[in-house]
Each structure stands twice: as structure tokens, then as C-alpha cells.
DNA sequence: AGTATTTTGTATCACTCGCTCTAGAATTGT
DNA sequence: ACAATTCTAGAGCGAGTGATACAAAATACT
């Protein structure tokens, strides 16, 4: 019983994601949000509880729609080493293709809200660790399949790759060029190409 | 002629840096600034022109007092490879020692201000490139002295190191542990340790 | 139909924002 | 002493902030 919602919840959340993504948490006002979500201010508070709760919801939706979906798509191919390589290639393409240079919502949030909100900070750290865990799974799988040297520390390398990913996302916001971003990534990706087994036999 | 300034300009700018560093540009109010700088709001506008101009001044002072000074100190030792290593070691120590987890003012600004202010964005990119140029000089010097393999691309590696540095600064704000930060940095530093000359003769 | 329940639009709350105005205090030159 | 100049303190500006109050509108259940 009761009156039905008149707006599309998915479209609304997408609008909220766009706002937070482009301007950050603090700089986004509730009125901006409501306008981009196509709803009134009262509906926003009625449906989502407030700005902070809406942000948490938007973060979770972004994780599902953007991060996890891409990870799943790449992991399904069954080519773990290529998955990492493609992940970074797509990252560069997306960073350069976005005229707003929004970067990554997680990375932006890590600087914007995480230091001042322990709860949201933990959530952001968790989302970032999902990406790191994806790297780790890819490395372990590639090592099992013989595509990556077993001498590489999978955990350490996954942390390194996440660090490089985060750095690239930040640099992309200062209008870094494709050449710059590729230069940042290349040494990390070449890590995965150390000779796999017999020492003394280079790949080149 | 005229009344003399009653406050210490250096102390005032330091207070401004602290504010911007801890809370970011947008989240810092002029009233917060004035209080931490020990001056009144009118004096702030009289002496620095306004919030944005004060931020630019603070950025420049931070570059001089923190970034360039550390670079000069490390470069004076004449041990370029060790300079890079020490730079990252100090970065980790400083990141963990700061209870506020403020990270790096440049990195924070790259996400907070750069995308919405082209002029300040260029300044931030310039400051970050000073650090990258330091890495490049160290690599070139170490290659000339025989400490780093000449096969390493100095420009590419300097971009990579800057990317890793930026990533570490961001991750440090989400309360990353020493182990995590060292794991992010280690593969990048090991890049500098590839066998220097004669192929076929490993270092280990 | 009638009632309970939920959503929606509008108006508004107290508060903070960056910034400016004005009056007075402090200095130097004549 | 007096004028000219610069700095300081505090009040206050219009605009915008997150959040709420309230009544009209729309639904489901009896």
C-alpha cells in the first residue's frame, strides 16, 4: 500500500554516480544530485536517507556495474596474463576517452572521503582490494599455467600493480598523455614477462 | 609608510599549508585558514588576495620547503641510485608517521583541484614533474657511473617511479600498512637492480 | 467509499561559504 | 600636529549548504 515511486531507481543512482564521480563527494550538493537524478530533494532523503548514505549506495553500485563486471569479463577469458594486460590497456583508453577526466571513483574517494570518514574509508579500501585480489588471482593462475615465472611473488606483485593503477588514475586527472600513462604502466607489465623457467635463456 | 604587518608571513603560510594539506582545497574554509594562520579574515584578503591565490602561494612554498629541499639533499650525496631508494624509504616512513595521513599535498591537489582549475592543474603537474625529473637525473647519473644498466629507459622508468609514488601516497591515505606500501614499491626499486652490463652473468 | 500508507513538490530551517565594507589603529613623511 | 598610507578587527553581504516540515497526491487494503 502507499503511493508508488515515480522515478527509475537505477537511472537515479547512475545520475548520483555521475555527480560524485565528476565533482567528488564534498563538492557535490544535494540539489545537484537531485537534479541529475531526476527527483526532488524530499524523494532523495526519503529513498536514500541522505547524502552520505546515497554516496555509499552509489559506491556499491559503481563497484558492481563497473569494477566487478570488468573483472569478471576479463577473468572469464581464461587468459590470466592477458587479462592484466588488457585491464591496463582499457584503463588508459578509458582515461583518455573521458573528456571530463574523472578518473576512478574509488581512487577519487580514497583521497576525498576516506581520510575523514573511517567507515566509508574502509569500504573504499575494500573495493580497491577487490581489484588487487583480481591481479593476484590472475598471477597465480598464470603461474600455474606456465605463463608467468613462479619466482614472482604474487601478493607483492598484485600490490604493485594496484599502486601503479592508482597512480595512473591520478596522473590521468592532470591531463597526462597516452605516452606518459603507457610509460608508467610498461615496467609493471614487463614484470610479468620475466623468463618463466630455465635461467640463462632470455625471451628476446 | 603605513601600518606594519603584525603577523609572521612564514608562520601564516605554514598554517595555510597545514589546512590545505589536511582537508584539501574545497573542504578548507577561509575562516579555518585565518584561524590556523593566526590572522583575521581581512588580513588574509589584504595579504594574499583570496583563497585561491593563497592556495597557489601555499603550493609554491610547499614545493620549496618540502619537495625541492628533499630532492636537493638526496642529490647532493652523489649516490643517485641510493637517492631513489632513500626517497621511497623516507616516503613510507613519513606516510606512516603522520597520524593525520595527509599524504602529499601535490597528489591530493591533483585530484581535488586540478580537474576543475586548469591553471592550478598545470602548476600541480609541473611540481609533480619536478619529482619525475629528479628520478630521471638519478637514473642517468647512475647509468653513467655504472650502477644502473644502460638498457633501462631513463624517461620511461622515471614516469613509472612517479606513478608508483603517487599510488603509494593515495593508498597511504586509506591506512595502508608498511608491508603494503613496501610491496608496492619493491618491484619498482628492483627495476634499478637489473644486471648492469655483461649478459649471462646474474647478480645473485 | 473510506482509511492507512507512502511519495512528491514546495517552502523553509539554521548554518556556512567566500568575500567585502567600514571604522579605527598603527606607521611614515612633512 | 597633521596628512597620507597601510593594516586589523568585526559585522555583514548574498548565495548556497544539508536537512526537515507539511500538505497535497497517489496507491493498496478493508
Amino acid at each position: 500500500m502507499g503511493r508508488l515511486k515515480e522515478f527509475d531507481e537505477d537511472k537515479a543512482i547512475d545520475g548520483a554516480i555521475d555527480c560524485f564521480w565528476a565533482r567528488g563527494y564534498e563538492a557535490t550538493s544535494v540539489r545537484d544530485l537531485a537534479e541529475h537524478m531526476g527527483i526532488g530533494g524530499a524523494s532523495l532523503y526519503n529513498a536514500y536517507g541522505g547524502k552520505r548514505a546515497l554516496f555509499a549506495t552509489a559506491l556499491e553500485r559503481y563497484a558492481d556495474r563497473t569494477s566487478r563486471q570488468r573483472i569478471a569479463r576479463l577473468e572469464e577469458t581464461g587468459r590470466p596474463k592477458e587479462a592484466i594486460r588488457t585491464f591496463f590497456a582499457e584503463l588508459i583508453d578509458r582515461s583518455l576517452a573521458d573528456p571530463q577526466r574523472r578518473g576512478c571513483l574509488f581512487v577519487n574517494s580514497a583521497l576525498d572521503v576516506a581520510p575523514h570518514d573511517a567507515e566509508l574509508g574502509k569500504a573504499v579500501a575494500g573495493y580497491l582490494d577487490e581489484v588487487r585480489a583480481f591481479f593476484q588471482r590472475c598471477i597465480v593462475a598464470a603461474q600455474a599455467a606456465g605463463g608467468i615465472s613462479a619466482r614472482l611473488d604474487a601478493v607483492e606483485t598484485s600490490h604493485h600493480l594496484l599502486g601503479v593503477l592508482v597512480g595512473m588514475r591520478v596522473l590521468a586527472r592532470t591531463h597526462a598523455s597516452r605516452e606518459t600513462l603507457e610509460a608508467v604502466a610498461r615496467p609493471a607489465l614487463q614484470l610479468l614477462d620475466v623468463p618463466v623457467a630455465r635461467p640463462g635463456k632470455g625471451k628476446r
Side-chain angles (χ1 to χ4, degrees), chain A:
Chain A
M1 59 185 79
R3 180 172 171 176
L4 299 182
K5 279 195 176 68
E6 292 183 356
F7 62 92
D8 183 335
E9 287 210 51
D10 285 358
K11 295 275 184 189
I13 289 284
D14 286 346
I17 290 176
D18 283 343
C19 282
F20 287 129
W21 199 353
R23 276 170 289 231
Y25 177 78
E26 300 275 6
T28 301
S29 76
V30 175
R31 287 165 184 81
D32 279 345
L33 284 166
E35 185 173 354
H36 277 79
M37 295 167 75
I39 66 179
S43 296
L44 191 155
Y45 279 87
N46 179 55
Y48 303 101
K51 186 184 177 185
R52 207 190 88 112
L54 173 60
F55 182 73
T57 305
L59 266 186
E60 174 63 24
R61 185 89 45 141
Y62 175 88
D64 260 355
R65 296 273 180 92
T66 304
S67 183
R68 289 175 193 144
Q69 211 165 80
R70 179 158 34 171
I71 287 174
R73 172 169 52 81
L74 290 173
E75 220 158 4
E76 273 171 4
T77 65
R79 304 174 58 189
K81 191 170 158 184
E82 205 60 32
I84 295 178
R85 210 179 291 278
T86 305
F87 190 98
F88 277 87
E90 287 185 2
L91 183 107
I92 294 176
D93 288 340
R94 283 166 192 257
S95 292
L96 296 171
D98 181 5
Q100 294 186 81
R101 300 293 165 103
R102 294 172 299 181
C104 169
L105 180 57
F106 296 149
V107 176
N108 302 352
S109 304
L111 282 192
D112 189 13
V113 299
H116 308 294
D117 190 315
E119 198 177 354
L120 288 174
K122 275 212 162 192
V124 170
Y127 294 134
L128 286 175
D129 199 64
E130 289 182 22
V131 179
R132 189 206 57 77
F134 156 70
F135 290 144
Q136 183 178 335
R137 287 195 305 274
C138 285
I139 294 168
V140 169
Q143 284 175 326
I148 290 181
S149 164
R151 286 165 55 190
L152 210 65
D153 185 323
V155 174
E156 174 177 288
T157 307
S158 70
H159 280 294
H160 178 68
L161 289 174
L162 179 66
V164 171
L165 153 67
V166 170
M168 290 170 64
R169 285 295 211 178
V170 172
L171 293 177
R173 289 204 90 174
T174 70
H175 298 81
S177 67
R178 171 176 291 275
E179 289 70 31
T180 296
L181 296 179
E182 285 178 348
V184 173
R186 198 172 298 121
L189 295 177
Q190 282 175 348
L191 258 186
L192 311 176
D193 286 332
V194 292
V196 59
R198 322 221 155 258
K201 174 69 179 172
K203 215 177 182 183
R204 178 177 288 250

